[in-house]
Amino acid sequence: MQDRPSALTLFHNQTFRSLWIAALASNFGGLVQAVAAGWMMTTLSDSQSMVALVQGSVSLPIMVFSLLAGVFADNFDRRRVMLIAQGFMFAVSIGLTIMAFEGLLTPWLLLAFTFLIGCGTALHNPSWQATMGDIVTREELPTAVSLNSMGFNLMRSVGPAAGGAIVALAGVAAAFAVNALSYIAIILALLRWKAPVRDTHLPREPMGSAFSAGLRYVAMSPNLLQVILRGFWFGLTGVVLLALLPVVVRETLEGTAFVYGVLLGCFGLGAVGGALMNARLRERFKNEIIARGAFVGFAVSCAVLAISSYASLSGAALALAGACWVLALSMFNVTVQLSTPRWVIGRALALYQTGTFGGMAAGSWIWGAMSERVGPSSTLLLVAGLLIVGALIGLRLPLPESHGLNLDPLGRFKEPTLRFDLTYGSGPVMVMVDYEIDQADVPEFLAAMARRRRVRIRDGAQQWALLRDLQNPEHWSESYHVPTWGEYVRHNERRTQLDADLSDLLRRLHRGPNGPTVHRMIERQTVPLRDDLALKPDIGDEAGKA
């Protein structure tokens, strides 16, 4: 196996290094703000549900708006999208700081501000994570994701403790001010970064089509669905620690905001350790083994926290939970990125985040409400059992291995020269591909066409069908529709190197020297009184690849 790039080597990349350092400052401020918001809610309300909803108010917008943000990440300048998101969060944080200084915050107003910050995070995250593939190579990507996780958790190891100290010494308004200032570093780093120029030879996908394309791609990709399912279950159950920790500190450990920050710091230190172990574990163990270990380790942490009355023991449990947290989530993230081509990477990451953060948002509400009824200890023990169930799910739906997948564009398609004066908006277009197949090859052909159907629909084809000539049984036709000529070109350019063997197999099964015959026809639902397409001069026709 090829050695993975070391962290030191990756930091030689100036763009990655500057953005990583800027993200440290931003993450520090965000964690200080999270401690301040969670602790302030305990002073504004006695409701454990309201305390848990502070975490949920950040997670909910990521669940709701991530797919829209993924569409933006795949169809617009990612650098500009991130700048808009960071600028929005900067403005909201300034407003939150002013309201806190003036003493005007109420429980619902605090939730509203944290919800808006979550909206900015939802817009930022898909572009940020997809950008990693623009900055580093595919081989460096797992290391880059691990380093990003390590950077966040380095700040998690000091940010919460610092946040608790700031709250204790200067009040929550000062902590909110620190967060507002932290956005400046990443805004400046993004302004200095020269993003790569994106291919614009095709018109931008309409928003509706881009939404459906992302959903369709993930729906036709079983590997991605399995990752999203496991991410949802881990988010649903794992969030219990972060959601109920303020209550546990206040009621079980009888601690202060500083103790709360220190315990969150233990979680962060454990996460740093998990990030440092990640590369070695991925080399030695399969993805599913790591996932099961993370689920089981987190279950042990929940059980210990449920019965512990000592801050030191609780801190050790949280350190284990932090390691399991980063191992699971970074592995899910890398698996999604390595299993998805670049044209849809933002939407795939967004749907993964929708599942994971949707689980977190639901879990924050469910476990907060349950804690009010049965207490935080009983809730933590119940969730520990559900985490074991999450590990057992892997026996039936193991996570895929993504090593060796070549999802670069296949690059065989050349847009054919047409006799008609079409634009990329002309359509709808119907495509038929004719094959001549020996009877002895029919079983292999049908198996190949089952795979071809999934690939076609995944890449944008509609109304796919396979037809067989009743009078000439060796003649088969594959047909499908696309809305416009531009979508037909886009559909073919989405083919990846991983799909090459399927195309080669179908050509081998076809009898004839010139390969399958492709017919491209513009469709009319009514018969016009006159020809509505203008002919070009007779310059010949050039067949495209099937």
Side-chain angles (χ1 to χ4, degrees):
M1 180 181 294
Q2 184 178 1
D3 293 339
R4 296 184 185 275
S6 69
L8 182 61
T9 300
L10 201 54
F11 278 123
H12 291 165
N13 184 323
Q14 181 179 358
T15 299
F16 178 83
R17 184 176 67 248
S18 62
L19 289 175
W20 189 85
I21 293 172
L24 284 184
S26 180
N27 290 331
F28 176 81
L31 290 164
V32 168
Q33 189 269 342
V35 170
W39 194 256
M40 185 173 192
M41 186 60 82
T42 65
T43 64
L44 294 175
S45 173
D46 294 328
S47 169
Q48 295 180 22
S49 293
M50 293 297 288
V51 174
L53 281 176
V54 173
Q55 180 69 31
S57 65
V58 177
S59 303
L60 180 62
I62 298 176
M63 177 192 71
V64 174
F65 300 121
S66 275
L67 182 54
L68 178 62
V71 172
F72 289 151
D74 286 332
N75 288 278
F76 294 89
D77 183 341
R78 291 176 185 139
R79 171 177 167 274
R80 183 171 298 177
V81 171
M82 290 187 285
L83 281 170
I84 291 172
Q86 293 294 326
F88 174 77
M89 289 188 285
F90 179 49
V92 171
S93 296
I94 290 175
L96 175 60
T97 302
I98 293 172
M99 296 293 284
F101 270 120
E102 297 296 326
L104 300 176
L105 287 177
T106 64
W108 287 106
L109 193 56
L110 177 60
L111 288 178
F113 273 106
T114 55
F115 178 84
L116 290 174
I117 291 174
C119 290
T121 303
L123 179 61
H124 172 80
N125 278 351
S127 291
W128 171 259
Q129 297 192 36
T131 292
M132 291 300 104
D134 298 331
I135 296 173
V136 303
T137 67
R138 180 179 175 85
E139 291 72 22
E140 294 170 332
L141 188 59
T143 304
V145 172
S146 295
L147 284 173
N148 281 333
S149 296
M150 186 179 74
F152 176 78
N153 288 291
L154 278 171
M155 292 300 98
R156 194 193 286 274
S157 65
V158 298
I166 293 170
V167 170
L169 295 175
V172 294
F176 293 151
V178 169
N179 180 47
L181 292 173
S182 71
Y183 291 109
I184 296 175
I186 196 164
I187 290 173
L188 292 176
L190 288 170
L191 287 172
R192 288 194 298 267
W193 174 44
K194 302 299 182 183
V197 178
R198 304 183 69 174
D199 182 9
T200 57
H201 78 282
L202 285 173
R204 182 178 291 125
E205 281 187 271
M207 293 297 291
S209 298
F211 263 98
S212 61
L215 290 169
R216 182 177 57 244
Y217 187 91
V218 171
M220 300 302 291
S221 303
N223 286 353
L224 293 179
L225 290 176
Q226 291 179 26
V227 177
I228 291 171
L229 171 64
R230 300 298 288 283
F232 168 79
W233 194 265
F234 192 82
L236 176 71
T237 52
V239 77
V240 68
L241 284 184
L242 300 177
L244 295 185
L245 188 58
V247 178
V248 171
V249 172
R250 186 184 65 187
E251 296 188 359
T252 305
L253 300 178
E254 298 180 351
T256 63
F258 180 73
V259 174
Y260 172 53
V262 169
L263 288 180
L264 276 180
C266 292
F267 186 94
L269 282 174
V272 171
L276 292 173
M277 294 187 298
N278 191 27
R280 180 170 296 180
L281 289 174
R282 284 175 60 86
E283 289 178 354
R284 296 186 60 184
F285 300 103
K286 292 184 177 181
N287 289 348
E288 179 54 37
I289 298 299
I290 299 174
R292 290 181 202 170
F295 272 98
V296 172
F298 214 96
V300 171
S301 300
C302 288
V304 171
L305 194 65
I307 62 176
S308 171
S309 57
Y310 299 98
S312 57
L313 181 58
S314 298
L318 285 163
L320 174 62
C324 295
W325 179 273
V326 77
L327 283 173
L329 294 184
S330 65
M331 185 192 64
F332 294 154
N333 184 296
V334 168
T335 303
V336 170
Q337 295 215 43
L338 294 182
S339 302
T340 309
R342 297 300 302 168
W343 69 266
V344 73
I345 185 65
R347 282 162 283 186
L349 284 167
L351 286 167
Y352 157 69
Q353 290 182 4
T354 297
T356 302
F357 284 90
M360 291 181 188
S364 295
W365 178 78
I366 292 170
W367 311 133
M370 182 171 290
S371 179
E372 286 192 329
R373 291 178 176 270
V374 302
S377 294
S378 297
T379 302
L380 286 165
L381 288 173
L382 172 64
V383 173
L386 293 176
L387 283 158
I388 298 298
V389 173
L392 295 176
I393 290 174
L395 297 175
R396 183 61 182 254
L397 297 173
L399 289 178
E401 297 297 320
S402 53
H403 304 303
L405 296 180
N406 188 347
L407 297 175
D408 292 335
L410 183 57
R412 293 180 180 176
F413 177 78
K414 294 182 180 179
E415 186 175 346
T417 302
L418 303 178
R419 290 289 310 280
F420 289 104
D421 191 17
L422 292 187
T423 67
Y424 281 134
S426 300
V429 174
M430 178 181 181
V431 181
M432 295 190 72
V433 186
D434 295 334
Y435 302 89
E436 296 293 331
I437 305 296
D438 282 332
Q439 182 62 33
D441 294 330
V442 166
E444 188 176 8
F445 174 74
L446 292 177
M449 291 308 292
R451 293 173 56 198
R452 170 56 66 95
R453 174 185 179 275
R454 181 179 59 82
V455 170
R456 291 286 197 202
I457 296 174
R458 183 198 69 188
D459 291 346
Q462 302 172 3
Q463 303 174 43
W464 186 94
L466 181 63
L467 303 94
R468 189 176 193 181
D469 193 321
L470 294 177
Q471 293 182 301
N472 181 10
E474 294 183 342
H475 182 80
W476 297 74
S477 294
E478 173 194 12
S479 73
Y480 62 92
H481 295 71
V482 286
T484 64
W485 179 252
E487 289 303 309
Y488 171 72
V489 175
R490 201 189 311 273
H491 164 81
N492 282 279
E493 291 184 351
R494 287 170 175 170
R495 204 81 48 81
T496 68
Q497 295 287 342
L498 192 63
D499 302 321
D501 64 330
L502 177 58
S503 298
D504 294 341
L505 172 60
L506 288 170
R507 287 193 179 89
R508 287 197 304 270
L509 293 174
H510 170 76
R511 292 193 316 169
N514 297 321
T517 303
V518 183
H519 306 277
R520 306 170 185 89
M521 295 164 280
I522 194 161
E523 184 176 294
R524 292 290 178 260
Q525 299 294 332
T526 60
V527 180
L529 296 180
R530 63 178 63 187
D531 190 0
D532 58 349
L533 291 176
L535 280 170
K536 289 181 178 178
D538 188 3
I539 56 176
D541 190 20
E542 179 182 319
K545 300 292 185 182

